């Protein structure tokens, strides 16, 4: 596991984008796993800049997103503030600014009529694409990856998952409250790639920023491997692992950054 500590959010974002861009240049038809949330926005902005200023070419890149709320999905006709789907987030924050082909974008479908079947199909699509080359990951306040809430099996696959009160609270504050949506009306379930699915990516690239993430980052990286902190599964990843932190998020690490 390689842990890189950068001065601030901006430097963290640039470093993550450089790793992704390096792969795109080396393997133009690579498969990328993308994440939502506040943390990856800077990485996406840097990728957009590289596309616009340096011609970084996404035309053969395939993507798979980690998760989506159940019961909502993308409707590009609706104003942004009425559509809290992660699909919308990805179009707004990345896809509409780069030359990726629509047919190469894979997003969990929150409006799937048969969500369980959809989840199985999503797993098959990842395999058919040859697996994920780089999976970008954040880490939730309670240590979750995607919507793999505490207690999720570390061997779990893509599935429907109930959301914890902590996740509902966090996402209400950061997302739904701004759109004037009542808390009881936000989705309480999600489709998420499983921890087992994520561990099959060839390169896991986790980013975290800010002092509020310091304790959970140290639990995930230096604590026990436990389904209580599903991101601790990083310690089990059989492939390449890179963690990029800003100095605040790294501030509670002890032994793991000593070399
Ligand atoms: P954040 O979310 O990037 O908005 O902090 C991380 C997550 O929940 O995975």
């Amino acid at each position: 596991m390689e842990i890189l500590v950068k001065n601030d959010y901006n430097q963290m974002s640039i470093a993550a984008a450089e790793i992704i861009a390096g792969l795109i240049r080396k393997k133009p038809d690579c498969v990328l796993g993308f994440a939502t949330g506040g943390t990856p926005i800077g990485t996406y902005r840097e990728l957009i800049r590289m596309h616009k200023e340096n011609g970084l070419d996404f035309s053969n890149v395939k993507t798979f997103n980690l998760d989506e709320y159940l019961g909502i999905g993308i409707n590009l006709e609706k104003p942004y503030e009425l559509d809290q789907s992660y699909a919308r987030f990805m179009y707004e924050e990345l896809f509409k600014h780069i030359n990726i082909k629509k047919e190469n974008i894979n997003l969990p479908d929150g409006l799937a009529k048969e969500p369980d079947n959809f989840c199985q199909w999503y797993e098959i699509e990842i395999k058919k694409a040859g697996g994920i080359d780089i999976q970008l990951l954040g880490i939730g306040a309670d240590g979750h990856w995607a919507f793999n809430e505490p207690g999720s099996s570390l061997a779990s696959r893509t599935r429907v998952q109930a959301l914890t009160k902590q996740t509902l609270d966090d996402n209400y504050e950061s997302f739904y409250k701004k759109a004037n949506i009542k808390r009881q009306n936000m989705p309480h379930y999600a489709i998420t790639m499983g921890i087992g699915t994520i561990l099959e990516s060839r390169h896991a690239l986790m980013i975290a920023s800010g002092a509020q993430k310091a304790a959970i980052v140290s639990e995930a990286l230096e604590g026990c491997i436990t389904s209580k902190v599903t991101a601790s599964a990083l310690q089990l990843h059989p492939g390449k692992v890179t963690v990029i932190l800003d100095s605040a998020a790294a501030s509670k690490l002890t032994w793991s950054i000593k070399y």
Side-chain angles (χ1 to χ4, degrees):
M1 184 183 309
E2 188 180 23
I3 303 176
L4 306 174
V5 183
K6 300 290 169 181
N7 287 340
D8 55 24
Y9 176 79
N10 199 29
Q11 294 303 313
M12 176 204 77
S13 303
I14 291 171
E18 274 169 358
I19 290 174
I20 295 170
L23 177 69
I24 296 172
R25 289 192 198 100
K26 209 165 86 188
K27 186 180 176 190
D29 60 347
C30 62
V31 181
L32 300 175
F34 280 143
T36 49
T39 314
I41 289 177
T43 304
Y44 296 150
R45 298 221 165 123
E46 182 59 15
L47 288 173
I48 293 165
R49 190 196 65 72
M50 289 172 170
H51 168 65
K52 294 203 162 142
E53 292 176 17
N54 309 334
L56 184 65
D57 182 12
F58 289 83
S59 61
N60 290 310
V61 169
K62 267 201 182 133
T63 65
F64 286 87
N65 257 76
L66 282 173
D67 50 3
E68 178 64 281
Y69 292 105
L70 197 62
I72 56 175
I74 193 159
N75 180 349
L76 288 167
E77 308 308 315
K78 270 196 193 169
Y80 177 69
E81 58 279 8
L82 295 180
D83 181 347
Q84 304 302 312
S85 72
Y86 282 177
R88 161 71 69 171
F89 174 100
M90 289 308 300
Y91 275 95
E92 292 294 330
E93 299 296 342
L94 181 64
F95 295 148
K96 77 175 189 189
H97 306 283
I98 57 174
N99 66 332
I100 189 161
K101 293 192 185 110
K102 268 206 171 131
E103 62 268 28
N104 285 345
I105 296 171
N106 295 280
L107 297 153
D109 181 4
L111 297 175
K113 289 205 172 63
E114 295 184 55
D116 292 339
N117 290 347
F118 175 84
C119 293
Q120 284 181 23
W121 177 85
Y122 202 67
E123 289 272 339
I124 292 166
E125 287 303 298
I126 294 172
K127 286 211 170 70
K128 270 178 24 193
I132 292 172
D133 289 304
I134 292 183
Q135 176 64 59
L136 183 64
L137 297 155
I139 179 169
D142 58 6
H144 66 220
W145 261 354
F147 276 130
N148 290 285
E149 300 286 37
S152 298
S153 159
L154 300 184
S156 52
R157 311 302 307 185
T158 304
R159 69 197 185 287
V160 173
Q161 167 74 44
L163 304 180
T164 62
K165 184 174 176 307
Q166 164 102 53
T167 296
L168 292 172
D169 289 346
D170 290 348
N171 292 1
Y172 184 67
E173 285 301 320
S174 65
F175 218 27
Y176 284 89
K177 201 171 172 184
K178 291 183 192 141
N180 266 333
I181 292 171
K182 290 201 178 103
R183 194 181 179 291
Q184 67 265 30
N185 292 338
M186 65 181 284
H188 285 50
Y189 290 85
I191 292 177
T192 184
M193 262 190 218
I195 297 294
T197 321
I198 293 169
L199 291 179
E200 281 171 11
S201 59
R202 281 182 272 281
H203 183 175
L205 173 58
M206 189 173 99
I207 52 176
S209 140
Q212 73 285 0
K213 293 280 172 76
I216 200 67
V217 162
S218 109
E219 263 194 73
L221 268 50
E222 297 185 343
C224 301
I225 298 167
T226 167
S227 64
K228 185 165 172 269
V229 177
T230 53
S232 66
L234 203 62
Q235 300 176 47
L236 290 171
H237 193 287
K240 191 171 167 159
V241 177
T242 308
V243 180
I244 311 179
L245 307 167
D246 66 6
S247 47
S251 60
K252 287 197 157 57
L253 292 177
T254 54
W255 52 268
S256 62
I257 50 169
K258 281 206 176 127
Y259 56 93

